[in-house]
Short mmCIF file of all heavy atoms in Angstrom, two decimals:
data_model
loop_
_atom_site.label_atom_id
_atom_site.label_comp_id
_atom_site.label_asym_id
_atom_site.label_seq_id
_atom_site.Cartn_x
_atom_site.Cartn_y
_atom_site.Cartn_z
N HIS A 1 -131.10 22.47 -37.76
CA HIS A 1 -130.32 23.07 -38.80
C HIS A 1 -129.83 24.52 -38.52
O HIS A 1 -129.22 25.16 -39.34
CB HIS A 1 -131.02 23.00 -40.08
CG HIS A 1 -131.07 21.67 -40.72
ND1 HIS A 1 -130.02 21.13 -41.37
CD2 HIS A 1 -132.07 20.76 -40.85
CE1 HIS A 1 -130.32 19.86 -41.79
NE2 HIS A 1 -131.61 19.66 -41.54
N ILE A 2 -130.05 24.98 -37.23
CA ILE A 2 -129.72 26.38 -36.98
C ILE A 2 -128.19 26.60 -36.93
O ILE A 2 -127.73 27.63 -37.10
CB ILE A 2 -130.41 26.83 -35.65
CG1 ILE A 2 -130.28 28.30 -35.48
CG2 ILE A 2 -129.83 26.02 -34.47
CD1 ILE A 2 -130.89 29.15 -36.63
N LEU A 3 -127.42 25.47 -36.70
CA LEU A 3 -125.94 25.60 -36.66
C LEU A 3 -125.32 25.18 -38.00
O LEU A 3 -124.13 24.93 -37.98
CB LEU A 3 -125.47 24.81 -35.56
CG LEU A 3 -125.58 25.44 -34.15
CD1 LEU A 3 -125.12 24.39 -32.97
CD2 LEU A 3 -124.78 26.68 -34.08
N ASP A 4 -126.06 25.15 -39.10
CA ASP A 4 -125.48 24.73 -40.31
C ASP A 4 -124.40 25.65 -40.83
O ASP A 4 -123.62 25.23 -41.68
CB ASP A 4 -126.55 24.55 -41.33
CG ASP A 4 -127.43 23.35 -41.20
OD1 ASP A 4 -127.10 22.53 -40.21
OD2 ASP A 4 -128.30 23.08 -42.00
N ARG A 5 -124.33 26.86 -40.31
CA ARG A 5 -123.24 27.67 -40.69
C ARG A 5 -122.52 28.20 -39.32
O ARG A 5 -121.99 29.24 -39.25
CB ARG A 5 -123.74 28.97 -41.33
CG ARG A 5 -124.02 28.75 -42.86
CD ARG A 5 -122.90 28.41 -43.68
NE ARG A 5 -123.11 28.30 -45.12
CZ ARG A 5 -123.53 27.19 -45.77
NH1 ARG A 5 -123.64 26.01 -45.01
NH2 ARG A 5 -123.83 27.10 -47.01
N PHE A 6 -122.75 27.35 -38.31
CA PHE A 6 -122.15 27.53 -36.96
C PHE A 6 -122.54 28.84 -36.32
O PHE A 6 -123.63 29.34 -36.77
CB PHE A 6 -120.55 27.45 -37.18
CG PHE A 6 -120.14 26.29 -38.03
CD1 PHE A 6 -119.47 26.48 -39.23
CD2 PHE A 6 -120.23 24.97 -37.57
CE1 PHE A 6 -119.14 25.46 -40.02
CE2 PHE A 6 -119.83 23.89 -38.39
CZ PHE A 6 -119.30 24.11 -39.59
N TYR A 7 -121.94 29.26 -35.33
CA TYR A 7 -122.30 30.47 -34.63
C TYR A 7 -122.38 31.73 -35.50
O TYR A 7 -123.40 32.51 -35.44
CB TYR A 7 -121.47 30.71 -33.34
CG TYR A 7 -121.74 32.02 -32.63
CD1 TYR A 7 -123.10 32.14 -31.99
CD2 TYR A 7 -120.94 33.05 -32.67
CE1 TYR A 7 -123.38 33.29 -31.31
CE2 TYR A 7 -121.21 34.27 -31.97
CZ TYR A 7 -122.41 34.34 -31.35
OH TYR A 7 -122.74 35.55 -30.74
N PRO A 8 -121.40 31.96 -36.37
CA PRO A 8 -121.49 33.13 -37.34
C PRO A 8 -122.82 33.05 -38.04
O PRO A 8 -123.33 34.12 -38.47
CB PRO A 8 -120.23 33.07 -38.14
CG PRO A 8 -119.26 32.36 -37.31
CD PRO A 8 -120.07 31.33 -36.58
N GLY A 9 -123.31 31.88 -38.49
CA GLY A 9 -124.48 31.71 -39.21
C GLY A 9 -125.66 32.24 -38.35
O GLY A 9 -126.69 32.80 -38.94
N ILE A 10 -125.69 31.95 -37.13
CA ILE A 10 -126.75 32.39 -36.23
C ILE A 10 -126.78 33.91 -36.20
O ILE A 10 -127.86 34.59 -36.25
CB ILE A 10 -126.61 31.80 -34.83
CG1 ILE A 10 -127.04 30.34 -34.87
CG2 ILE A 10 -127.54 32.56 -33.79
CD1 ILE A 10 -126.93 29.50 -33.52
N GLU A 11 -125.63 34.49 -35.94
CA GLU A 11 -125.50 35.94 -35.93
C GLU A 11 -126.05 36.56 -37.19
O GLU A 11 -126.87 37.56 -37.14
CB GLU A 11 -124.03 36.34 -35.76
CG GLU A 11 -123.52 36.08 -34.39
CD GLU A 11 -122.06 36.58 -34.23
OE1 GLU A 11 -121.19 36.17 -35.01
OE2 GLU A 11 -121.84 37.45 -33.33
N LYS A 12 -125.66 35.98 -38.31
CA LYS A 12 -126.07 36.58 -39.56
C LYS A 12 -127.67 36.34 -39.77
O LYS A 12 -128.26 37.33 -40.28
CB LYS A 12 -125.29 35.91 -40.78
CG LYS A 12 -125.65 36.43 -42.11
CD LYS A 12 -125.16 37.85 -42.33
CE LYS A 12 -123.62 38.04 -42.27
NZ LYS A 12 -122.97 37.45 -43.38
N THR A 13 -128.14 35.25 -39.39
CA THR A 13 -129.52 34.83 -39.57
C THR A 13 -130.39 35.89 -38.75
O THR A 13 -131.33 36.41 -39.25
CB THR A 13 -129.81 33.45 -39.21
OG1 THR A 13 -129.15 32.56 -39.98
CG2 THR A 13 -131.28 33.09 -39.21
N ILE A 14 -130.04 36.04 -37.44
CA ILE A 14 -130.80 36.86 -36.63
C ILE A 14 -130.76 38.35 -37.15
O ILE A 14 -131.79 39.05 -37.12
CB ILE A 14 -130.40 36.82 -35.17
CG1 ILE A 14 -130.71 35.45 -34.61
CG2 ILE A 14 -131.08 37.84 -34.28
CD1 ILE A 14 -130.19 35.14 -33.19
N ALA A 15 -129.61 38.83 -37.56
CA ALA A 15 -129.50 40.13 -38.10
C ALA A 15 -130.45 40.37 -39.33
O ALA A 15 -131.07 41.38 -39.42
CB ALA A 15 -128.08 40.50 -38.47
N ASN A 16 -130.40 39.42 -40.20
CA ASN A 16 -131.31 39.47 -41.47
C ASN A 16 -132.80 39.43 -41.05
O ASN A 16 -133.60 40.12 -41.62
CB ASN A 16 -130.91 38.44 -42.37
CG ASN A 16 -129.64 38.61 -43.13
OD1 ASN A 16 -129.33 39.75 -43.59
ND2 ASN A 16 -128.85 37.57 -43.32
N ILE A 17 -133.15 38.58 -40.12
CA ILE A 17 -134.49 38.43 -39.70
C ILE A 17 -134.96 39.76 -39.07
O ILE A 17 -136.07 40.20 -39.34
CB ILE A 17 -134.67 37.28 -38.64
CG1 ILE A 17 -134.58 35.99 -39.37
CG2 ILE A 17 -135.94 37.41 -37.81
CD1 ILE A 17 -134.58 34.80 -38.45
N GLU A 18 -134.14 40.33 -38.19
CA GLU A 18 -134.59 41.60 -37.52
C GLU A 18 -134.58 42.77 -38.54
O GLU A 18 -135.43 43.66 -38.42
CB GLU A 18 -133.58 41.98 -36.43
CG GLU A 18 -133.73 40.98 -35.25
CD GLU A 18 -132.80 41.29 -34.09
OE1 GLU A 18 -131.75 42.06 -34.33
OE2 GLU A 18 -133.06 40.81 -33.01
N LYS A 19 -133.77 42.67 -39.52
CA LYS A 19 -133.83 43.80 -40.63
C LYS A 19 -135.14 43.78 -41.28
O LYS A 19 -135.73 44.79 -41.68
CB LYS A 19 -132.68 43.53 -41.61
CG LYS A 19 -132.53 44.62 -42.66
CD LYS A 19 -131.35 44.33 -43.51
CE LYS A 19 -131.19 45.39 -44.59
NZ LYS A 19 -129.98 45.19 -45.48
N VAL A 20 -135.78 42.57 -41.58
CA VAL A 20 -137.02 42.56 -42.29
C VAL A 20 -138.15 42.85 -41.28
O VAL A 20 -139.28 43.27 -41.73
CB VAL A 20 -137.21 41.15 -42.88
CG1 VAL A 20 -138.49 40.93 -43.60
CG2 VAL A 20 -136.03 40.90 -43.85
N GLY A 21 -137.98 42.59 -40.01
CA GLY A 21 -138.98 42.94 -39.03
C GLY A 21 -139.76 41.79 -38.47
O GLY A 21 -140.88 41.99 -37.95
N PHE A 22 -139.12 40.60 -38.43
CA PHE A 22 -139.72 39.48 -37.80
C PHE A 22 -139.45 39.42 -36.31
O PHE A 22 -138.40 39.80 -35.87
CB PHE A 22 -139.21 38.15 -38.39
CG PHE A 22 -139.71 37.71 -39.80
CD1 PHE A 22 -138.88 37.92 -40.89
CD2 PHE A 22 -140.96 37.30 -39.97
CE1 PHE A 22 -139.31 37.65 -42.23
CE2 PHE A 22 -141.40 36.98 -41.28
CZ PHE A 22 -140.59 37.19 -42.37
N ASP A 23 -140.55 38.86 -35.63
CA ASP A 23 -140.21 38.42 -34.19
C ASP A 23 -139.49 37.01 -34.37
O ASP A 23 -139.72 36.37 -35.37
CB ASP A 23 -141.52 38.29 -33.43
CG ASP A 23 -142.18 39.56 -33.21
OD1 ASP A 23 -141.52 40.62 -33.00
OD2 ASP A 23 -143.42 39.53 -33.19
N HIS A 24 -138.73 36.68 -33.37
CA HIS A 24 -137.98 35.39 -33.48
C HIS A 24 -137.73 34.88 -32.05
O HIS A 24 -137.71 35.59 -31.09
CB HIS A 24 -136.74 35.49 -34.19
CG HIS A 24 -135.78 36.45 -33.61
ND1 HIS A 24 -134.86 36.15 -32.65
CD2 HIS A 24 -135.46 37.81 -33.77
CE1 HIS A 24 -134.06 37.11 -32.25
NE2 HIS A 24 -134.57 38.20 -33.00
N VAL A 25 -137.53 33.58 -31.92
CA VAL A 25 -137.35 32.87 -30.69
C VAL A 25 -136.63 31.66 -30.90
O VAL A 25 -136.81 30.99 -31.91
CB VAL A 25 -138.69 32.63 -29.93
CG1 VAL A 25 -139.57 31.70 -30.62
CG2 VAL A 25 -138.46 32.22 -28.50
N GLY A 26 -135.67 31.29 -29.89
CA GLY A 26 -135.04 29.99 -29.96
C GLY A 26 -133.52 30.00 -30.17
O GLY A 26 -132.87 29.04 -29.90
N ALA A 27 -133.04 31.10 -30.71
CA ALA A 27 -131.56 31.20 -30.99
C ALA A 27 -131.17 32.64 -30.51
O ALA A 27 -131.98 33.52 -30.62
CB ALA A 27 -131.19 30.98 -32.38
N SER A 28 -129.97 32.82 -30.12
CA SER A 28 -129.53 34.05 -29.51
C SER A 28 -128.08 34.41 -29.93
O SER A 28 -127.24 33.50 -30.19
CB SER A 28 -129.67 34.04 -28.02
OG SER A 28 -130.98 33.66 -27.60
N ARG A 29 -127.69 35.68 -29.82
CA ARG A 29 -126.42 36.14 -30.10
C ARG A 29 -125.56 36.40 -28.81
O ARG A 29 -124.40 36.76 -28.82
CB ARG A 29 -126.32 37.31 -30.94
CG ARG A 29 -126.89 37.09 -32.30
CD ARG A 29 -127.31 38.38 -33.04
NE ARG A 29 -128.43 38.97 -32.40
CZ ARG A 29 -129.10 40.00 -32.95
NH1 ARG A 29 -128.71 40.60 -34.13
NH2 ARG A 29 -130.18 40.54 -32.38
N SER A 30 -126.26 36.33 -27.64
CA SER A 30 -125.56 36.59 -26.35
C SER A 30 -126.37 36.00 -25.28
O SER A 30 -127.61 35.61 -25.48
CB SER A 30 -125.46 38.13 -26.09
OG SER A 30 -126.82 38.69 -25.95
N ALA A 31 -125.80 35.85 -24.10
CA ALA A 31 -126.51 35.30 -22.95
C ALA A 31 -127.58 36.21 -22.47
O ALA A 31 -128.69 35.82 -22.09
CB ALA A 31 -125.50 35.18 -21.80
N GLU A 32 -127.41 37.58 -22.65
CA GLU A 32 -128.39 38.54 -22.19
C GLU A 32 -129.60 38.43 -23.20
O GLU A 32 -130.73 38.52 -22.75
CB GLU A 32 -127.84 40.01 -22.35
CG GLU A 32 -126.85 40.25 -21.28
CD GLU A 32 -125.47 39.65 -21.60
OE1 GLU A 32 -125.21 39.29 -22.76
OE2 GLU A 32 -124.59 39.50 -20.71
N GLU A 33 -129.33 38.27 -24.50
CA GLU A 33 -130.41 38.05 -25.44
C GLU A 33 -131.22 36.72 -25.18
O GLU A 33 -132.41 36.73 -25.27
CB GLU A 33 -129.91 37.96 -26.85
CG GLU A 33 -130.92 38.12 -27.98
CD GLU A 33 -130.27 38.33 -29.33
OE1 GLU A 33 -129.94 37.35 -29.96
OE2 GLU A 33 -130.00 39.51 -29.72
#
């Protein structure tokens, strides 16, 4: 379900997760990430 809002949804999800202070793994916003 990580693509339920397509790639912009991944970008938004990771930004919100990092804002709260979670570690995360499995999805990325760039090849470098």
Side-chain angles (χ1 to χ4, degrees):
H1 285 287
I2 191 59
L3 283 175
D4 281 1
R5 288 291 187 269
F6 315 111
Y7 175 66
I10 288 180
E11 289 184 300
K12 184 65 68 68
T13 299
I14 293 176
N16 284 320
I17 284 173
E18 291 181 342
K19 184 177 180 181
V20 177
F22 285 106
D23 296 324
H24 61 88
V25 65
S28 308
R29 293 164 292 189
S30 68
E32 293 75 19
E33 192 170 88

